[in-house]
Amino acid sequence: MELQGLINLQIMMFIGIGLGWYLRKRNLITAEGKKCMTDLVIDLLLPCNIIHSFCIEFDAGILYRGLQVLVISIVLQMFCTLVSATCYNRVGKDEKPVLQYATVCSNAGFLGNPVAEGVYGSIGLLYGAIYLIPQRIVMWSAGVSYFTECPSKREVLKKVLTHPCIIAAEIGLVLLVTQIQLPAFLDRTITSFSNGSTPLTLLLIGAIMAGADMKTMVTRETAWFSVVRLFLIPMAVCIGCYIFRVDAVASGVSVILASMPAGSTTAILASKYERNEKFASKCVVLTTVLSMVMIPAWCLFVAYLWT
C-alpha cells in the first residue's frame, strides 16, 4: 500500500472515531444506543462484510495463503494464552483477569476488518475473516474462563457454532470453493450492508472511548499491557512469518491484526462479572489511542521487510 493511501486511511479512522466520541459526549449516542450498535455490527454488518469478502475468484494460491493465516492465528492464540498466564502475576485480583482476557482477545473483530480491507483490499478482508476464527473460539472458552469458571464444552460449542461471524465465514467458504454466484438482489443487499460496517464500527469505538477518564488512563499496569498488546505480540508474529517465509499479504494481515488494541468486550465482561470495569475501559481506550500510531507503523515495517 502506498504511504498516501495509508495516511488517508488513518485520517478516515481518526475522523470516524472522533465523531463517535463527540456523539456519545453529546448523548446523541446513548448507552442503550451503544449496545444496539454493538449488536447491529456483530449480528448483521460484520457477517455481511465477511460473506462479501469471500465472493472472489478462487484459486489454489488463495487456499494455501488462507491456510497459512489460519495456522498463524492458531499458534498466536497459544502464544497469547502463555503470555497471559505469565506476565500479570503481580497485578491485583480484579485487574489480572482483565489483562489476561484483553491479551488473548484483541479488537481485531471490530477494528481489524476495516484496516485489513483498507490496506489489502478484498483479499485482506478474506484473510482477516479466516484469521479471526481461532480468536472467536478462544473468546468463548478460555477468554470467559478468566472471569468465571470455565464453561462446559457444550456451552462453548454452542457459542462458537451460533456466532453470526462464524456462520458467515462458513457460508463464505462454501461460496468461495463452489464459486456459486448469489442472485443479483442478494449480492447487492449483502454488499450494501457490508459497506456500512466500517463507519459504524468506527463510531462505536469512539462511543466506547468517550466513557473513559483520560486523566488517569496511563498507569504502570496499562502501560505494560500496551507494550505487550501493541508491540510484543505483533513482533512475535512478524518474526515468525519472516523466518518461515510466509507470503507477504498473509504476513501483513496477520501482523496487522495481531497489533490490534484490547477488545471492547473486555469492559463489557468486566462489568458483567463485577471486576474492575474502569480499569478495563482504560486498557481498551489507551491501546486504541496508541494503535492509531502503531498500526500504520507495523504496516510500513511489514512492507519494508517484504519488499
Side-chain angles (χ1 to χ4, degrees):
M1 188 183 190
E2 294 182 358
L3 180 60
Q4 184 60 47
L6 184 60
I7 293 174
N8 290 335
L9 174 64
Q10 199 69 1
I11 293 174
M12 182 270 291
M13 291 171 61
F14 267 115
I15 293 173
I17 293 173
L19 284 173
W21 181 88
Y22 174 77
L23 293 174
R24 180 70 185 97
K25 285 294 187 181
R26 292 291 302 274
N27 210 35
L28 295 175
I29 297 178
T30 62
E32 295 78 11
K34 186 174 69 173
K35 183 181 183 303
C36 290
M37 288 173 65
T38 301
D39 294 338
L40 183 62
V41 169
I42 293 176
D43 295 339
L44 177 62
L45 299 185
L46 281 180
C48 288
N49 198 229
I50 291 168
I51 292 174
H52 178 67
S53 71
F54 280 88
C55 295
I56 61 175
E57 187 175 345
F58 177 74
D59 59 49
I62 291 176
L63 176 62
Y64 176 70
R65 290 187 292 272
L67 289 174
Q68 284 184 321
V69 171
L70 183 62
V71 171
I72 292 168
S73 182
I74 292 172
V75 173
L76 176 61
Q77 288 303 136
M78 296 169 62
F79 174 73
C80 289
T81 302
L82 177 63
V83 169
S84 68
T86 57
C87 288
Y88 309 119
N89 292 328
R90 296 184 180 181
V91 180
K93 65 177 183 178
D94 285 339
E95 289 79 19
K96 184 176 180 179
V98 170
L99 296 176
Q100 289 179 311
Y101 178 87
T103 298
V104 300
C105 300
S106 72
N107 212 19
F110 278 114
L111 188 59
N113 281 350
V115 176
E117 185 177 20
V119 176
Y120 295 106
S122 297
I123 194 66
L125 190 57
L126 169 63
Y127 293 156
I130 295 173
Y131 173 95
L132 284 166
I133 292 174
Q135 178 174 297
R136 297 191 193 283
I137 295 173
V138 171
M139 180 183 295
W140 298 114
S141 53
V144 176
S145 72
Y146 291 129
F147 292 99
T148 183
E149 294 182 2
C150 186
S152 65
K153 293 181 179 180
R154 177 178 295 182
E155 184 180 349
V156 172
L157 185 63
K158 181 181 178 181
K159 286 282 189 181
V160 171
L161 293 180
T162 58
H163 194 287
C165 293
I166 295 293
I167 295 173
E170 294 168 352
I171 294 172
L173 282 171
V174 172
L175 294 176
L176 179 66
V177 173
T178 62
Q179 291 292 285
I180 294 175
Q181 299 296 315
L182 294 173
F185 71 91
L186 184 57
D187 181 65
R188 292 187 64 178
T189 300
I190 292 174
T191 301
S192 296
F193 282 109
S194 172
N195 292 337
S197 65
T198 296
L200 195 61
T201 296
L202 296 176
L203 288 175
L204 179 58
I205 293 172
I208 292 171
M209 290 176 62
D213 183 2
M214 298 291 183
K215 295 180 180 179
T216 61
M217 191 166 53
V218 181
T219 64
R220 184 179 63 180
E221 290 80 8
T222 59
W224 168 238
F225 170 71
S226 298
V227 172
V228 172
R229 178 72 264 170
L230 302 177
F231 181 76
L232 295 182
I233 291 175
M235 178 59 74
V237 176
C238 188
I239 292 173
C241 290
Y242 189 77
I243 291 175
F244 290 99
R245 304 294 181 182
V246 178
D247 172 78
V249 176
S251 297
V253 171
S254 299
V255 173
I256 290 170
L257 294 188
S259 68
M260 289 294 126
S264 53
T265 51
T266 306
I268 296 172
L269 290 177
S271 174
K272 180 177 180 179
Y273 294 107
E274 298 181 349
R275 299 292 182 171
N276 194 332
E277 180 186 359
K278 291 184 178 179
F279 176 74
S281 297
K282 290 176 184 178
C283 290
V284 173
V285 173
L286 179 60
T287 52
T288 300
V289 172
L290 294 176
S291 71
M292 296 295 101
V293 176
M294 293 302 296
I295 289 173
W298 280 114
C299 290
L300 294 173
F301 185 65
V302 170
Y304 172 77
L305 285 181
W306 268 265
T307 51

